[in-house]
Amino acid sequence: TESYTLSLHDALPIWALALRPWRYWVQLAADFPEAKKLGRVLTKLELKASPSQDSKTVGVLYDDAIVVWLREVIGAPFPMFPTNRRWIETPDGYLPAPPVQPVLNQPNEVQQTVPLGASGERGFWAEVTVPFAPFYLVNPNPASPHLKETPADRYRVYYSQVYWIDDVRQNSLGTWLYRAREKHGSYGDVFWSPAEAFRPLSAEDVSPIRPEVTDKLVVIDLTKQTLSCLESGTEVHFCRISSGAKFDASGNAVDKWSTPVGTNHVINRKFISLHMAGGAAASGYDLMAIAWTSIFASGGVAIHSTYWHNNYGEPMSHGCVNAMPEDARFVWRWSLPVVPYEDGKMEVTGYNNVTRVNVIES
């Protein structure tokens, strides 16, 4: 197993330690099973003897439990999502696929210096490549609504998130730590987290795919819950997505979260990573470090990576187009406009050097 231990005695100034309860600074460890593919449980789930809710319960798992993902199988429909029959087989039983995030555990070599960019700013982009890792805030109090409601011993970064790294240090236990923040949309939170959890992204990792091709079109089919990337009419990428939800948490039909249909959309704002928040109370959301965000409609409607569900093929969002990280990354890199590495964003006006997006209901 891979283990992360974290002690910030040497990583933070004395005044920062003095402002927090001592229990937040004890060692933490996150041990993950040894397997090629893992799953992160997103909510309380019953482990079943066979891929059906009616089968015998053989265990109960809670948020952020990590399981060995043997394979995906077809079973009985999950009651909340009647068209989704995907289940995850684990060594101990079966879990419904929608609330289990597929993850890997791939610790990284630490980049022990932070490069100076062309603008004079030190830093680099990095993606989380382990199921999760703990973090500790630099700022005395959490700023984002999500962190304000989260116990400090549950502060975590999650697989596929992307952060800006601007400092690196080694603590008294010999653990290397990165100082991370959200460069766009942030409420101002800055934190330290185990460096091995992050894979530095090079300029090549975020470089455009065939930028010389200008006849590009994204087609999102809300009926089929699919996305296609076309070059001069030829499909070069296809994936399942989750568009705007048609029902709220109580099962009531809603229109306010619909993904806007139309053939006049264009991708005119792009972010390597973006903090997204909206709504209020139970219907609201506050999500950190959403990677590969390509905004194409008013109100911030975007195609973006998703780490909080695995229910692609079912409408799930507040209007955006949720995609698996690898699919969102392809759309982001392939579409125009091109985004400069250091700033990690691009905003344009008009219809030049942009990629069109058609949202249809077939």
Side-chain angles (χ1 to χ4, degrees):
T1 61
E2 294 294 336
S3 174
Y4 296 103
T5 57
L6 187 55
S7 175
L8 295 195
H9 295 76
D10 292 351
L12 289 178
I14 296 299
W15 63 264
L17 293 175
L19 290 174
R20 291 173 173 78
W22 177 257
R23 68 185 181 91
Y24 293 162
W25 305 103
V26 300
Q27 296 181 34
L28 292 180
D31 296 317
F32 305 123
E34 292 185 357
K36 184 177 181 180
K37 187 174 183 179
L38 302 172
R40 179 173 72 92
V41 175
L42 305 175
T43 188
K44 179 182 175 181
L45 288 179
E46 293 182 347
L47 194 65
K48 294 294 185 176
S50 64
S52 169
Q53 282 295 105
D54 296 330
S55 68
K56 180 183 177 182
T57 297
V58 296
V60 179
L61 299 176
Y62 295 87
D63 298 23
D64 288 353
I66 305 301
V67 299
V68 173
W69 184 306
L70 295 178
R71 60 175 181 155
E72 192 173 275
V73 301
I74 300 300
F78 190 55
M80 286 182 62
F81 308 109
T83 65
N84 195 330
R85 299 176 56 188
R86 296 181 297 116
W87 288 73
I88 308 306
E89 182 181 358
T90 79
D92 302 309
Y94 295 84
L95 295 169
V100 182
Q101 179 197 16
V103 298
L104 301 176
N105 182 33
Q106 297 178 330
N108 303 277
E109 291 188 11
V110 177
Q111 188 164 308
Q112 298 180 10
T113 59
V114 177
L116 187 67
S119 69
E121 179 183 12
R122 290 194 181 276
F124 58 88
W125 293 100
E127 66 176 346
V128 181
T129 59
V130 299
F132 63 80
F135 70 79
Y136 293 86
L137 286 177
V138 173
N139 38 296
N141 297 299
S144 76
H146 167 69
L147 292 183
K148 288 179 179 179
E149 298 176 357
T150 303
D153 56 359
R154 295 284 294 181
Y155 289 168
R156 290 171 177 176
V157 296
Y158 290 108
Y159 182 82
S160 80
Q161 287 183 305
V162 173
Y163 289 93
W164 179 255
I165 307 299
D166 63 10
D167 199 1
V168 57
R169 299 184 188 180
Q170 192 175 31
N171 68 14
S172 58
L173 297 178
T175 302
W176 284 96
L177 309 168
Y178 285 150
R179 188 171 68 184
R181 63 185 174 93
E182 298 174 286
K183 210 168 188 180
H184 305 296
S186 172
Y187 285 83
D189 293 308
V190 180
F191 57 84
W192 295 92
S193 191
E196 285 185 332
F198 298 82
R199 183 178 78 90
L201 296 174
S202 67
E204 184 177 354
D205 288 325
V206 303
S207 62
I209 297 172
R210 295 187 293 278
E212 71 282 1
V213 178
T214 57
D215 186 11
K216 295 181 175 181
L217 173 66
V218 176
V219 177
I220 298 165
D221 190 321
L222 301 183
T223 304
K224 297 178 180 177
Q225 291 291 289
T226 60
L227 180 150
S228 298
C229 295
L230 307 176
E231 292 182 1
S232 301
T234 300
E235 185 175 81
V236 296
H237 191 81
F238 175 86
C239 64
R240 291 180 301 163
I241 53 94
S242 290
S243 65
K246 298 181 182 297
F247 300 91
D248 62 20
S250 301
N252 302 311
V254 293
D255 293 326
K256 61 181 179 180
W257 296 332
S258 298
T259 302
V261 175
T263 59
N264 59 344
H265 303 303
V266 295
I267 295 174
N268 55 16
R269 285 190 290 162
K270 293 169 68 175
F271 300 85
I272 289 181
S273 181
L274 180 66
H275 188 119
M276 289 189 177
S283 63
Y285 60 95
D286 182 57
L287 296 163
M288 297 176 64
I290 298 177
W292 319 116
T293 297
S294 303
I295 298 176
F296 65 87
S298 60
V301 177
I303 303 161
H304 59 70
S305 177
T306 310
Y307 57 87
W308 52 92
H309 76 78
N310 181 33
N311 197 29
Y312 307 102
E314 293 261 4
M316 288 285 292
S317 79
H318 285 74
C320 285
V321 175
N322 297 174
M324 295 191 72
E326 56 268 31
D327 294 319
R329 185 198 299 253
F330 179 89
V331 173
W332 189 92
R333 291 184 59 195
W334 172 82
S335 64
L336 297 172
V338 172
V339 179
Y341 177 90
E342 192 169 343
D343 197 23
K345 73 172 183 179
M346 175 58 72
E347 302 184 41
V348 299
T349 58
Y351 289 82
N352 294 321
N353 297 317
V354 293
T355 294
R356 293 174 298 136
V357 178
N358 288 357
V359 180
I360 64 172
E361 287 185 308
S362 59

